[in-house]
Amino acid sequence: MSHSQASDKLMVELRDLNKWYGEFHVLKNINLEVKQGEKIVICGPSGSGKSTMIRCINHLEEHQKGDIVVSGIPLNEDIKNIEAIRKEVGMVFQHFNLFPHLTVLENCVLAPIWVKKMPRKEAEAQAMELLERVKIPDQALKYPGQLSGGQQQRVAIARSLCMNPDVMLFDEPTSALDPEMIKEVLDVMIELATEGMTMLCVTHEMGFAKTVADRVIFMDGGQIVEENEPHEFFNNPQHERTQLFLSQILQH
Amino acid sequence: MSSDISNSGHNPEGGPAKPKAPPQNKPKFWNDPKKRSLLFQVLLLSALGFVFYSIIDNTLTNLEQRGITTGFDFLTEEAGFGIAMSLVPYTEASSYGMTFIVGLMNTILIALMGIFAATILGFLLGVARLSDNWLISKASTIYIETFRNIPLLLQIFFWYYAVLRTLPHPRQSMEFFGTFLNNRGFIVPAPVAEDGFGLVLFGFFVALIGSWLISRWSKKRQELTGQQFPVFWVSLGLIVGIPLVLFMLSGMPLGLDHPELKGFNFKGGITVIPELIALWFALSIYTAAFIAETVRAGILAVSHGQTEAATALGMSKAKTLRFIVIPQALRVVIPPLTSQYLNLTKNSSLATAIGYPDLVNVFAGTTLNQTGQAIEVIAMTMAVYLTLSLLTSTFMNWYNSRIQLTER
C-alpha cells in the first residue's frame, strides 16, 4: 500500500513532547516526524491524549517540555512564530465551530481578508472555488445554522483551506455527525489527501485509515504505543493494547 | 328497549337501567373552557372598572369638599422659589410649568451622563474580570462585588457627605490648572467664543466629513487590494489636528471666563454643583458593576470553540474579540443592558435625598408642596418616567432586533 506522495521535507516534528494538566501527565515523550504530503491517522481510546497532541501543533494547547517545529518554524514563546505557524496549519474541529453570525462565505473570507490582507474580491473568488470543491457553492449566502452537520463540516474544511495551509489537522471530524453524513465529509478528506495535502487526522474511521493513511499511530495513556503502515497495523498489530483496541472497534 | 335509548343510554350489564344523563354534544357553558375563560375575563374587567370608577369618583368628591380645584391651571402660576441648577433660564418669577421643564432637563441630564459613564466603565470592568492577568481580574472582581452590594442611597450619601461636603471652603479651594474644587462644587472657566472661532468649528466639521470619507475610501481600498489603513488614528489626528491648527492660525479666538474669588464665593466660570457630581459618581459606579456582570455573562456565553476556531485561523486576540466574540456577546448583553439603563434612569430620582434638583425633587417635591396639586403633579411625574423608560426600551429593542437578524 505504498501510495505515498511524501517528499523528504519535514512538515511537523515533535521531539520529546511532554504536557501536564496540573499533576496529570497527558503527553509523555511524544516523538513524531511528518513529511510533506504524508497522511497520518491517529487513533486510541478516549483520554489517550491524541487530540491534545495535535492541538499542541498549532499551540491551542501549551506544552511544557520538548520541541515542536512546524514547516521549519520552531514553536516557542515568540508570538510571531506562533502566528506564522497558525497561518501554515489549518484545523477542523469535531463540532465544526463555524461562526454562527456570519454567512458561509463570510466565514470563509474573514481570515484571508484580516490575517492575510487579501483583497475581498480575490478572497471571495477563492472561497467560492473551495466551496465548489467541497460541493456546496449554492449554500454560500446561508448561515451555518441553516445547514446540515455534514454541510457545516465541509464548510469548516473549506474555511481552513482558504488560508492555503501546508498542514491540515483534523480533530475527530466525523464524530459529531449523523451516520449518513459521514461519507460526504470523508469523501472531501480523501480528495484532499489525493491532492497531496499533509494531514494529521484523529479519527476512528478505520476505512478511511486503510485507504488514505501512510501511517497509523495508536496512542494510549499519553504515549505512542504503536506506529505502522495501515496494512500491517490492522492485520498484524504488535502490542497487546493495540490488539485489544482493534478487536473492540472492529468487531461490529 | 327503544324507550331506554333516549333515557339512559346503553346499559352493558343489562341490569335495571339507572337514570343516567344522556350523552351530551354540548357541555354546560361553565364547563366549556372558552366560555368559562370569557366569563372570568368579563368578571375581572367589571370589577376593575368598578374599582377605578369608585377611586376617581371618591377623589373628585373629596377634592370638591375641601375646595381644591383640579386641572392644570397651576402650571402658569408664578413658582416663587429658586432652583440650584438649571439648564434653561429660570428665576423665581418663572412659572410652575418652568419648574417642570427644569426638573425634567436635570433628570435627563443625569440619566444621560450616568448611562454614558456606566456603559464605558461597565464594559471595561466586564472585560477586565475575564482578563488572564491575575491582578486586573481580581481588582475588577473586588470592585464589582463591593459596589454591587452596597445600597445605592448609601453610596450617594458617601460621595455627597463623606467626600464632596468635606472639601475646603471656597477661600481654601483646591486649584488645578485654573479650575477650582471646593464644597460648593467644581468651578471651571467658561469658554467664550470670539471672532474667528467659527472657523475652528468649520474646521472641526470638515475633519468629521474627511474622516468619514477616509473610512469609506479605506474600506474600498481594502476590498480591492487587501491593504489595511489605520482609519481610527488618522481620523483622530484629523479631528483633533485641523481645528487645533486653525485655532492657532486664527490667533486663538477663544476667551476664557475665569472664575474669580469674590467675597466668600466664586464669580464667573461654570459651577458644577456637588449634588450633580455625587449623584453622577454614585449612579455610574453602582450601575457599572451590574453592567460589568452583564458583559461578562455575554462574553462567557460565546462558546470557547469560537475563540479556538478564530485562533486556529491565525486571528489575533484583538481581532477575535472584534469579529467573533463581541458581535455574538452583544446579542446576549443588550436586553439586560436595557434593564440597567432603565434602572439608572429611575434610580436618579434618589437625587431628592441630597437635593439635586431633578424632576422628583423640584416638581414632585417643592412644586407639589406649594400648590397642593398632588394628583396632577404625581401623574405628570410618573408619566415622565414611564415615557423615558419606554423610549429607552424601544430604542434598545430596535437595536437588538438589528443585531439579532444576523443570526440566520
Side-chain angles (χ1 to χ4, degrees):
Chain A
M1 299 216 53
S2 70
H3 44 62
S4 175
Q5 307 142 319
S7 76
D8 285 340
K9 190 189 170 200
L10 280 181
M11 288 308 290
V12 178
E13 302 169 64
L14 307 180
R15 269 185 250 112
D16 287 326
L17 186 67
N18 277 279
K19 177 174 174 59
W20 287 262
Y21 282 128
E23 290 286 295
F24 181 57
H25 201 168
V26 216
L27 296 178
K28 298 170 187 160
N29 295 318
I30 303 280
N31 279 293
L32 179 67
E33 288 188 345
V34 184
K35 297 197 190 83
Q36 188 171 38
E38 249 190 323
K39 292 110 190 79
I40 312 284
V41 165
I42 302 148
C43 58
S46 63
S48 60
K50 35 190 207 310
S51 289
T52 311
M53 181 180 84
I54 67 164
R55 286 160 60 87
C56 280
I57 295 174
N58 63 352
H59 204 65
L60 286 184
E61 301 278 353
E62 208 170 335
H63 64 282
Q64 277 85 36
K65 236 180 86 187
D67 298 313
I68 299 177
V69 182
V70 181
S71 202
I73 310 163
L75 181 72
N76 51 23
E77 239 88 286
D78 191 340
I79 201 140
K80 288 279 165 232
N81 282 9
I82 297 174
E83 279 173 11
I85 286 174
R86 283 182 180 150
K87 278 187 207 172
E88 305 292 328
V89 179
M91 186 156 197
V92 175
F93 299 86
Q94 181 178 359
H95 296 288
F96 333 132
N97 296 354
L98 293 178
F99 307 131
H101 60 300
L102 300 175
T103 61
V104 165
L105 188 63
E106 285 296 324
N107 264 279
C108 291
V109 299
L110 186 69
I113 288 176
W114 289 100
V115 179
K116 283 202 147 177
K117 308 198 191 324
M118 200 184 266
R120 175 172 278 273
K121 274 229 171 90
E122 205 178 297
E124 280 181 356
Q126 177 198 269
M128 286 311 293
E129 209 174 282
L130 285 162
L131 287 173
E132 202 113 15
R133 262 174 66 186
V134 300
K135 299 177 187 65
I136 31 176
D138 46 326
Q139 312 284 355
L141 297 179
K142 289 197 181 166
Y143 287 92
Q146 297 168 303
L147 306 185
S148 73
Q151 290 173 323
Q152 290 195 47
Q153 193 60 297
R154 285 185 280 151
V155 171
I157 295 174
R159 179 176 71 177
S160 298
L161 293 175
C162 279
M163 290 294 285
N164 282 317
D166 291 339
V167 182
M168 283 290 284
L169 308 175
F170 292 86
D171 188 1
E172 308 209 25
T174 56
S175 306
L177 293 176
D178 287 341
E180 60 201 273
M181 294 172 180
I182 292 180
K183 186 175 176 297
E184 62 187 60
V185 171
L186 288 181
D187 284 346
V188 168
M189 288 170 64
I190 291 170
E191 200 185 315
L192 195 60
T194 49
E195 283 162 17
M197 175 64 77
T198 312
M199 291 164 71
L200 283 88
C201 311
V202 173
T203 181
H204 292 142
E205 296 297 331
M206 290 305 143
F208 173 78
K210 283 175 193 167
T211 24
V212 169
D214 295 306
R215 262 188 291 160
V216 182
I217 286 174
F218 176 71
M219 285 183 74
D220 187 35
Q223 281 170 312
I224 294 182
V225 176
E226 185 157 351
E227 183 177 346
N228 217 330
E229 56 99 9
H231 188 74
E232 276 294 300
F233 182 86
F234 288 111
N235 295 325
N236 190 15
Q238 302 297 311
H239 287 74
E240 205 179 313
R241 187 67 188 88
T242 320
Q243 288 160 5
L244 180 68
F245 179 77
L246 287 177
S247 73
Q248 301 276 14
I249 64 166
L250 293 177
Q251 68 189 353
H252 299 295
Chain B
M1 246 355 234
S2 66
S3 66
D4 270 349
I5 294 172
S6 61
N7 270 338
S8 58
H10 45 89
N11 191 351
E13 285 159 37
K18 285 176 189 169
K20 274 187 189 169
Q24 286 179 338
N25 294 332
K26 278 190 170 179
K28 297 248 166 62
F29 81 88
W30 58 82
N31 284 338
D32 180 339
K34 276 188 192 155
K35 287 180 186 149
R36 185 195 280 234
S37 78
L38 191 70
L39 174 73
F40 283 126
Q41 290 180 45
V42 169
L43 283 177
L44 181 68
L45 272 180
S46 16
L48 261 179
F50 177 72
V51 168
F52 273 105
Y53 166 75
S54 64
I55 289 177
I56 293 169
D57 185 56
N58 205 0
T59 315
L60 288 178
T61 316
N62 283 341
L63 288 174
E64 209 172 313
Q65 277 175 358
R66 290 182 200 177
I68 300 174
T69 49
T70 50
F72 293 93
D73 294 340
F74 71 97
L75 288 176
T76 51
E77 289 167 26
E78 189 185 299
F81 65 91
I83 297 178
M85 184 191 127
S86 169
L87 297 174
V88 287
Y90 174 88
T91 62
E92 291 182 13
S94 300
S95 65
Y96 284 123
M98 276 309 289
T99 65
F100 174 76
I101 303 285
V102 170
L104 176 62
M105 292 189 70
N106 285 346
T107 289
I108 292 177
L109 174 75
I110 185 67
L112 289 181
M113 283 171 65
I115 285 175
F116 178 75
T119 307
I120 294 178
L121 195 59
F123 267 80
L124 290 178
L125 285 163
V127 174
R129 191 165 181 186
L130 292 172
S131 165
D132 293 332
N133 185 312
W134 185 88
L135 188 66
I136 290 179
S137 84
K138 281 291 170 288
S140 167
T141 306
I142 291 171
Y143 173 99
I144 291 167
E145 292 308 337
T146 311
F147 288 104
R148 186 163 80 126
N149 293 314
I150 295 177
L152 175 59
L153 187 59
L154 267 183
Q155 295 192 36
I156 295 175
F157 283 158
F158 168 77
W159 288 107
Y160 188 58
Y161 292 114
V163 178
L164 295 172
R165 292 303 291 268
T166 54
L167 288 172
H169 293 286
R171 285 184 161 281
Q172 286 94 41
S173 287
M174 298 190 265
E175 190 183 345
F176 319 92
F177 309 106
T179 67
F180 298 91
L181 189 63
N182 58 43
N183 64 3
R184 302 274 182 93
F186 184 54
I187 300 125
V188 294
V192 182
E194 289 164 9
D195 282 350
F197 190 70
L199 191 66
V200 178
L201 280 182
F202 176 74
F204 176 71
F205 285 113
V206 167
L208 276 187
I209 295 169
S211 347
W212 180 68
L213 289 176
I214 284 179
S215 89
R216 275 187 43 156
W217 164 80
S218 106
K219 214 171 174 186
K220 266 229 175 84
R221 190 181 74 149
Q222 191 187 354
E223 294 197 351
L224 292 176
T225 68
Q227 284 164 295
Q228 291 166 29
F229 188 79
V231 177
F232 176 77
W233 296 111
V234 172
S235 302
L236 190 71
L238 280 183
I239 290 171
V240 175
I242 293 185
L244 196 69
V245 169
L246 286 175
F247 182 65
M248 298 292 182
L249 286 180
S250 55
M252 307 201 195
L254 185 70
L256 284 177
D257 175 19
H258 288 282
E260 272 173 68
L261 195 59
K262 292 252 174 74
F264 291 108
N265 207 348
F266 281 89
K267 279 259 156 62
I270 298 172
T271 304
V272 186
I273 59 174
E275 290 80 10
L276 174 62
I277 302 175
L279 191 63
W280 184 45
F281 275 22
L283 280 175
S284 316
I285 288 171
Y286 176 77
T287 313
F290 289 90
I291 292 179
E293 284 298 271
T294 302
V295 168
R296 183 171 75 113
I299 292 177
L300 286 179
V302 180
S303 87
H304 190 53
Q306 294 288 307
T307 326
E308 277 190 347
T311 312
L313 284 167
M315 290 171 66
S316 65
K317 269 193 177 177
K319 279 178 182 153
T320 305
L321 209 59
R322 173 173 161 201
F323 292 115
I324 307 302
V325 178
I326 289 181
Q328 294 188 58
L330 269 188
R331 289 182 288 130
V332 185
V333 170
I334 297 293
L337 187 64
T338 311
S339 310
Q340 291 309 328
Y341 287 174
L342 300 182
N343 277 345
L344 189 146
T345 309
K346 290 177 288 171
N347 285 341
S348 75
S349 61
L350 288 171
T352 306
I354 55 170
Y356 171 73
D358 81 324
L359 187 67
V360 172
N361 186 14
V362 171
F363 193 62
T366 316
T367 298
L368 171 57
N369 272 333
Q370 292 196 3
T371 62
Q373 303 284 354
I375 294 173
E376 293 83 353
V377 168
I378 294 293
M380 281 173 78
T381 311
M382 289 190 340
V384 163
Y385 283 100
L386 189 63
T387 312
L388 286 182
S389 295
L390 289 178
L391 283 178
T392 311
S393 63
T394 307
F395 171 76
M396 294 301 274
N397 286 343
W398 166 80
Y399 181 64
N400 196 30
S401 69
R402 239 193 56 167
I403 54 172
Q404 289 289 4
L405 265 179
T406 50
E407 173 73 12
R408 72 176 53 173

